[in-house]
Amino acid sequence: MQITQVLPGEDGFLVLCKDGTVWKWDYDQRKEDAERIEGLEEVFNIIDGGGAYYALTEDGDVYVWGSNKEFQINPNGKPEEMYYEPERLGMFENIVHIDIKNGVGFAVDSTGEFYLWGIQLHGEPRRDSIPYQYKKRSLEDVDYVSARAGNYHFFMRSDGSIFSIMEDVVIYNVGTFIFPYFDTDNPISEQKSFLDVQHENLERWYNGLNNVILYEVGTDTRVTKMTADPYTVFLYNSDGKLCYWNSQNITYHDEREFIGEEKEGKNVFQGEFVEINIREILNLKEQEPLPMIMDIICGKENSLFLCSNGEVFMSEYITFDVRDIRMYRGREEGSSELTAIKGMELKELKFRKLDWEKIVSINTDGEYRFAALDRDGECLLLDLRGF
C-alpha cells in the first residue's frame, strides 16, 4: 500500500494510494487492517467535505459517500442518513478543480463552468445543497479553488486576479466580512462600513440581511497559494514570502460583530498583510536555506503549513488582553450606543513548529482534526478538540 494522501475521519484514517484506490481503517487499528472503499478507481484526490467524503477521478468524475447531515449526498433524504457506498454525482463531468469544506463546495470543469453549493443562495438548506451552475462573467477563467473552514473562500483566475466569495448576515451595516487588498492606497482603507466597500451581490435573502457577495481582492501574479480560516487569509508568493491579513477579525475573534466599535461608532475594515517569519518559527540559522511552503490547510481555529524540508508549523490564536467593548448603531461620530460586552478576550495570531518530521502531505477535516503522511508511509493524527 503506497499512500499518497490521508484524511482524518470521524473514526479513523481515510487514505488514497498511488494506484488510485481508497482505503480506511480505525484509529485503534493498524494499517494492515485497512478496508478498501469499493467502487472507486483511478482516484486523483480525496476531500473531507464535512461528514461527506468526495473523490475526484483522473477522468474528472466526482463520487461522494458518508454522512448526509448537510444534504450533500441526497437533498431529499434525511440528515441522519449514512451512505456507505460512493455515488457518482451525475451533474459533474470533466472536473478539473474542486474543493469542499464543512458542506460548502466549489468546482470548475474543463470548459470553465463554475459550480457552487452549500452557500445560502436561496435560504433553503436542501435546495442550496445541490451543485448550482453559476454563470457570471466574474466567475470565468478560474484556475485555483480554495473552500475554507470559515465564510471566506478564495479563487484565482488565469490572469493572476484574485477574488473571494463570502457569506454573512449584515445587521446595522455590521458583518464579519474580511476585505484584504494588495494596494496600500486602496480606498477600502478609508471606508468604514460594509455598504461602502465595492462588491458584487451574488444573492440576498431574508429581508436583505443574509448576503453572499463576490469581492475582488486585486491582481498579483506572484501569489501561488491563498487560503483562509474563519478570521484571516494566508497567501504565499513565488518569491517565498508568506503573509497573513492582520485585521480586527483576528483581534475580536469570537465577538466580531463588535469590530471597530471603539472608534467613534464606526465599523472599520482596515488591515494589512504581515509577513510571517518562517526562519524564526523553524529556528533556522541565517546560512540555512529557507524552505518553500508546499501546502496550507485551515481548520476552525488552527492552520498547518507544510515546508519543503518535511517540517510543519501551526498557527494559533492567543489572548493578549481582556477589555470592555462598546457597540454603536450607525457609522457617524456620536452614534448612539447599542450594547456592550465586558471582559472580552482580544486575540493575536502566533505560530509554533510541530515535532513532526519528514512530512510529505497534510490534510484536515475542516474543523479540529489534522492528519499527516510521512516519507515512510506512516499516518499521523493531530486532534485539537478541547484545546
Side-chain angles (χ1 to χ4, degrees):
M1 181 184 293
Q2 191 172 353
I3 301 172
T4 58
Q5 189 180 348
V6 56
L7 292 178
E10 183 69 27
D11 301 309
F13 290 116
L14 184 73
V15 302
L16 172 63
C17 293
K18 189 176 181 179
D19 63 3
T21 59
V22 180
W23 301 71
K24 66 176 182 178
W25 67 89
D26 292 342
Y27 289 126
D28 59 358
Q29 292 180 312
R30 301 176 304 164
K31 181 169 56 177
E32 291 73 18
D33 299 321
E35 298 179 8
R36 182 176 173 180
I37 306 295
E38 298 295 338
L40 294 175
E41 304 280 352
E42 299 181 345
V43 174
F44 173 74
N45 188 21
I46 54 174
I47 304 170
D48 186 336
Y53 299 100
Y54 290 77
L56 174 64
T57 70
E58 295 281 359
D59 293 333
D61 294 331
V62 178
Y63 291 81
V64 63
W65 71 101
S67 170
N68 196 47
K69 66 179 181 180
E70 302 287 348
F71 302 105
Q72 296 182 71
I73 303 175
N74 182 5
N76 298 315
K78 298 178 180 180
E80 64 270 18
E81 290 178 337
M82 292 291 296
Y83 292 78
Y84 297 100
E85 296 182 1
E87 298 188 9
R88 182 176 175 274
L89 294 179
M91 73 287 293
F92 285 147
E93 291 183 350
N94 302 315
I95 297 298
V96 292
H97 304 292
I98 187 170
D99 200 10
I100 311 101
K101 282 291 179 292
N102 300 320
V104 177
F106 305 90
V108 180
D109 67 20
S110 58
T111 68
E113 296 294 346
F114 187 93
Y115 297 83
L116 59 85
W117 64 99
I119 282 185
Q120 299 182 45
L121 291 175
H122 312 101
E124 302 172 11
R126 293 175 187 271
R127 184 179 175 190
D128 287 327
S129 68
I130 302 173
Y132 184 71
Q133 191 173 355
Y134 214 111
K135 292 181 177 291
K136 272 186 175 289
R137 189 172 183 82
S138 54
L139 297 175
E140 295 177 354
D141 300 321
V142 174
D143 65 1
Y144 180 95
V145 176
S146 178
R148 292 303 96 189
N151 290 345
Y152 324 123
H153 314 281
F154 287 89
F155 310 84
M156 285 193 281
R157 303 186 185 94
S158 55
D159 63 358
S161 61
I162 296 171
F163 67 93
S164 174
I165 291 178
M166 297 181 278
E167 175 186 17
D168 199 11
V169 176
V170 178
I171 303 176
Y172 304 126
N173 300 336
V174 180
T176 61
F177 295 111
I178 182 172
F179 295 108
Y181 49 86
F182 298 130
D183 185 357
T184 55
D185 295 326
N186 189 300
I188 292 177
S189 62
E190 301 300 326
Q191 294 170 343
K192 310 300 182 183
S193 163
F194 158 72
L195 298 180
D196 293 332
V197 178
Q198 185 174 357
H199 64 274
E200 177 182 359
N201 277 314
L202 295 185
E203 198 70 31
R204 183 181 292 179
W205 66 280
Y206 190 56
N207 297 326
L209 296 181
N210 243 72
N211 281 261
V212 178
I213 69 170
L214 186 148
Y215 164 70
E216 297 285 349
V217 178
T219 300
D220 190 337
T221 56
R222 299 171 302 168
V223 176
T224 60
K225 295 178 177 63
M226 194 166 189
T227 187
D229 69 10
Y231 312 98
T232 188
V233 54
F234 301 98
L235 65 83
Y236 182 65
N237 290 340
S238 56
D239 59 7
K241 187 177 182 180
L242 177 66
C243 300
Y244 72 93
W245 182 252
N246 189 27
S247 71
Q248 292 185 350
N249 270 275
I250 290 177
T251 308
Y252 285 58
H253 207 66
D254 294 329
E255 304 290 349
R256 286 170 291 166
E257 65 269 26
F258 291 87
I259 285 176
E261 298 304 335
E262 293 179 298
K263 298 187 178 182
E264 301 173 339
K266 298 180 180 180
N267 313 316
V268 299
F269 291 100
Q270 297 174 354
E272 61 179 347
F273 278 113
V274 175
E275 184 172 2
I276 299 169
N277 193 332
I278 301 173
R279 187 175 299 277
E280 181 179 280
I281 296 169
L282 299 180
N283 195 26
L284 297 174
K285 297 178 181 179
E286 195 62 37
Q287 64 272 22
E288 293 183 90
L290 190 67
M292 295 185 297
I293 300 298
M294 307 304 293
D295 199 5
I296 307 170
I297 58 169
C298 299
K300 285 292 183 66
E301 287 283 332
N302 308 90
S303 298
L304 264 56
F305 304 80
L306 173 62
C307 302
S308 57
N309 64 357
E311 294 185 307
V312 178
F313 62 92
M314 180 181 76
S315 68
E316 53 190 349
Y317 292 96
I318 305 297
T319 300
F320 72 88
D321 194 10
V322 178
R323 191 181 302 169
D324 296 341
I325 301 297
R326 298 172 295 168
M327 182 178 179
Y328 297 82
R329 183 195 302 269
R331 298 182 281 125
E332 304 301 326
E333 294 185 21
S335 299
S336 60
E337 186 168 326
L338 181 64
T339 186
I341 184 170
K342 294 186 178 296
M344 189 176 78
E345 295 184 1
L346 303 182
K347 305 284 186 176
E348 61 183 350
L349 189 60
K350 295 291 186 180
F351 302 87
R352 63 182 175 90
K353 186 176 77 168
L354 301 180
D355 58 3
W356 290 348
E357 296 179 342
K358 303 185 298 181
I359 302 301
V360 296
S361 176
I362 55 176
N363 224 315
T364 179
D365 64 355
E367 296 190 345
Y368 301 99
R369 287 193 186 96
F370 299 84
L373 175 69
D374 68 18
R375 292 174 192 163
D376 298 324
E378 295 301 318
C379 298
L380 308 176
L381 176 68
L382 176 63
D383 192 340
L384 296 176
R385 291 175 301 170
F387 286 86

